[in-house]
Amino acid sequence: MTKVDFSRIEDALAVRLPDVYRRRVAPFPIPREEGNTETQVWDDAGALIALNQRLRAEVEGWPPWLFVIGQSVGDPCGYAIDTRDPECPVWWLEQMRLGPDSGPSQGPFDPWFSHWVTDTSEEPGGSSCFGLLLAWGILSVIVLVACWVWVVYRTAR
């Protein structure tokens, strides 16, 4: 996101985004997630505005200082930040609603986001799975060549 994106969000929602949030999400630290609206932290100003406006309209008593930062695809829950506090506490939103199971339970944004980036950057099984398939393919070719050489050798005798 850019300074213009932050201004768009702040103007549309009448909120001041904390500096720690601005610093950490711009530039977005995971290149493959830039512009996303599918993870726990979104990088699309227009989608963030729409999500926050929808929740403000749908959820009675939604506080204007609570800014939703994202929601994973297929997950009915999400995360928000308290924009009143410079440490920007992260809130868990059960079913994207306020209630006894929702609240500031995740701690300050900076360490939470660092942990999220680490977890999101790791691709479980990604490269190691490719390496395993590559090794299997090479071994298969070696076995086929060995069998072919053995057949040629036996028929030449």
Side-chain angles (χ1 to χ4, degrees), residues 19-106:
D19 290 337
V20 67
Y21 174 79
R22 291 166 161 265
R23 273 193 323 271
R24 294 306 310 266
V25 300
F28 209 70
I30 307 169
R32 75 174 193 282
E33 298 294 337
E34 286 179 8
N36 92 81
T37 58
E38 300 177 349
T39 66
Q40 295 170 337
V41 181
W42 291 4
D43 185 43
D44 181 312
L48 283 166
I49 291 168
L51 175 62
N52 279 275
Q53 287 175 335
R54 180 178 60 82
L55 290 171
R56 287 178 176 191
E58 289 177 0
V59 180
E60 187 176 333
W62 190 272
W65 46 263
L66 192 59
F67 175 70
V68 179
I69 59 174
Q71 178 182 20
S72 293
V73 170
D75 188 348
C77 305
Y79 291 95
I81 55 173
D82 180 342
T83 61
R84 302 171 299 178
D85 188 325
E87 288 195 338
C88 198
V90 178
W91 280 49
W92 168 251
L93 297 173
E94 182 67 34
Q95 302 294 315
M96 299 305 280
R97 300 289 185 252
L98 301 174
D101 295 327
S102 297
S105 60
Q106 304 299 315

